[in-house]
Amino acid sequence: RSRKIQDGSVKAFVADQLARMGKERAPLMAQVNDDQILADILRAIAEVRDGEGVNVMLSFINSDRPFVREAARESLVLYERNAIWPVRKAYEDITGERAESSWDWRETIDRLFTAQDALRLEPLDRLLSRGLAAAAEGRFEDMDGDYGTILGREPRYPRRAEMVPGLLAYGERLLSAGEVLEARRVLRLAGYLAPDGDARVPRIRAHLAYLEGLRRRDLGFPDAEPFRDAAKLDPEYAKLIEARGDLDDAPPEPLARVRPGASPTPGDR
């Protein structure tokens, strides 16, 4: 950032210190292991439009470290049209095709990012297909392992919403089996991955509210509110809670019965 310092003596001091550390050039500055520091350095390099900065950004825009990748991409965009030729070459290297001359600098960069994402995510897409197949066959432990691997590598995996149905089914199986700790973990993950407006969200929240009610009861602090929340979110819980003799102390108020012909209770699945 020394190039933006107005005081000449301070600027000279900063430049001298960078030289002493062997960090006077952008490629050398970026040779750090800490993700936060590296992200800050990339943004600082782009802020002064360092001449070597474009190639530095190109070396990190497909990093497996999401925090670094995001910083590098944001920084590359700051170069705008000044990055067009290196970006076109990078696009050709990845796709084997030339970038169209009709694409402006922004479209060229976006297409490069898209091509890199497709290449980076290909192994994860294969894992997702395997996990989805395992879920369809009821092999939920295998599914859970595959999904965990995907999210461990790419927390913002673009197709993460496809995991929700299997996780919900697995969480319900665990809940029915009385494995409440694992059920809570799986259902929380399902709730986290579900996009806004997903029709399954109320059901997931109902399960989690019910589990929270059980947790408070087992800790010796029975509370009716989580059970009532579960019944409001999913009417099937009203029937279950009313039928469970061990919940006599919580909730204390009678809950509305499920209308005749309603679906089986969560505990019966």
Side-chain angles (χ1 to χ4, degrees), residues 99-177:
E100 296 289 339
S101 58
S102 60
W103 300 344
D104 63 14
W105 67 268
R106 183 69 216 221
E107 183 175 1
T108 307
I109 288 178
D110 287 341
R111 286 179 179 267
L112 172 61
F113 292 164
T114 299
Q116 288 182 323
D117 288 342
L119 187 64
R120 188 182 70 260
L121 297 175
E122 184 180 359
L124 302 187
D125 289 340
R126 289 197 298 269
L127 269 180
L128 177 65
S129 296
R130 192 172 75 178
L132 291 172
E137 297 169 5
R139 295 183 289 107
F140 292 120
E141 291 82 1
D142 293 339
M143 173 209 73
D144 191 34
D146 287 337
Y147 290 175
T149 299
I150 293 170
L151 295 172
R153 296 181 187 175
E154 195 74 27
R156 298 181 184 177
Y157 180 60
R159 297 175 60 188
R160 58 191 180 276
E162 296 179 44
M163 303 177 183
V164 174
L167 290 170
L168 175 56
Y170 185 31
E172 290 180 336
R173 173 182 288 187
L174 292 167
L175 182 57
S176 296

Side-chain angles (χ1 to χ4, degrees), residues 1-4 43-51 78-79:
R1 291 178 184 266
S2 63
R3 298 184 189 182
K4 291 225 169 173
R43 292 188 173 99
I45 291 171
E47 183 181 335
V48 299
R49 307 299 191 273
D50 186 281
L78 293 179
Y79 282 86

Side-chain angles (χ1 to χ4, degrees), residues 2-264:
S2 63
R3 298 184 189 182
K4 291 225 169 173
I5 298 172
Q6 300 300 317
D7 189 314
S9 61
V10 175
K11 183 175 179 179
F13 173 77
V14 173
D16 180 65
Q17 292 302 306
L18 288 172
R20 288 174 180 272
M21 293 186 292
K23 304 288 186 180
E24 69 275 16
R25 295 176 53 223
L28 299 175
M29 295 177 192
Q31 293 179 5
V32 296
N33 295 321
D34 185 279
D35 287 359
Q36 178 64 65
I37 294 175
L38 177 55
D40 289 342
I41 289 174
L42 294 178
R43 292 188 173 99
I45 291 171
E47 183 181 335
V48 299
R49 307 299 191 273
D50 186 281
E52 296 180 288
V54 171
N55 288 330
V56 172
M57 304 312 156
L58 288 172
S59 69
F60 288 107
I61 58 174
N62 201 32
S63 171
D64 289 333
R65 297 173 288 175
F67 197 71
V68 172
R69 183 173 66 247
E70 181 178 348
R73 291 186 174 193
E74 290 174 358
S75 298
L76 181 63
V77 169
L78 293 179
Y79 282 86
E80 299 183 352
R81 66 182 72 257
N82 293 324
I84 188 66
W85 291 109
V87 169
R88 283 177 175 172
K89 183 178 185 305
Y91 178 84
E92 184 175 355
D93 290 343
I94 289 175
T95 65
E97 302 174 356
R98 285 193 172 187
E100 296 289 339
S101 58
S102 60
W103 300 344
D104 63 14
W105 67 268
R106 183 69 216 221
E107 183 175 1
T108 307
I109 288 178
D110 287 341
R111 286 179 179 267
L112 172 61
F113 292 164
T114 299
Q116 288 182 323
D117 288 342
L119 187 64
R120 188 182 70 260
L121 297 175
E122 184 180 359
L124 302 187
D125 289 340
R126 289 197 298 269
L127 269 180
L128 177 65
S129 296
R130 192 172 75 178
L132 291 172
E137 297 169 5
R139 295 183 289 107
F140 292 120
E141 291 82 1
D142 293 339
M143 173 209 73
D144 191 34
D146 287 337
Y147 290 175
T149 299
I150 293 170
L151 295 172
R153 296 181 187 175
E154 195 74 27
R156 298 181 184 177
Y157 180 60
R159 297 175 60 188
R160 58 191 180 276
E162 296 179 44
M163 303 177 183
V164 174
L167 290 170
L168 175 56
Y170 185 31
E172 290 180 336
R173 173 182 288 187
L174 292 167
L175 182 57
S176 296
E179 299 181 40
V180 294
L181 293 179
E182 271 296 280
R184 183 180 291 111
R185 176 189 67 81
V186 172
L187 290 167
R188 280 179 174 171
L189 179 59
Y192 173 75
L193 298 177
D196 293 339
D198 191 307
R200 290 172 286 257
V201 170
R203 187 177 193 84
I204 295 169
R205 289 178 178 171
H207 289 319
L208 291 171
Y210 176 75
L211 286 167
E212 177 61 18
L214 293 181
R215 187 185 73 85
R216 296 182 187 183
R217 184 206 63 184
D218 293 342
L219 288 173
F221 303 98
D223 184 356
E225 194 62 30
F227 295 116
R228 282 198 290 265
D229 289 343
K232 291 175 184 177
L233 289 163
D234 187 344
E236 295 178 19
Y237 265 107
K239 179 180 177 181
L240 172 65
I241 293 170
E242 191 174 27
R244 287 283 296 271
D246 60 343
L247 297 178
D248 287 341
D249 55 345
E253 301 175 8
L255 292 164
R257 292 180 178 275
V258 177
R259 65 182 183 280
S263 302

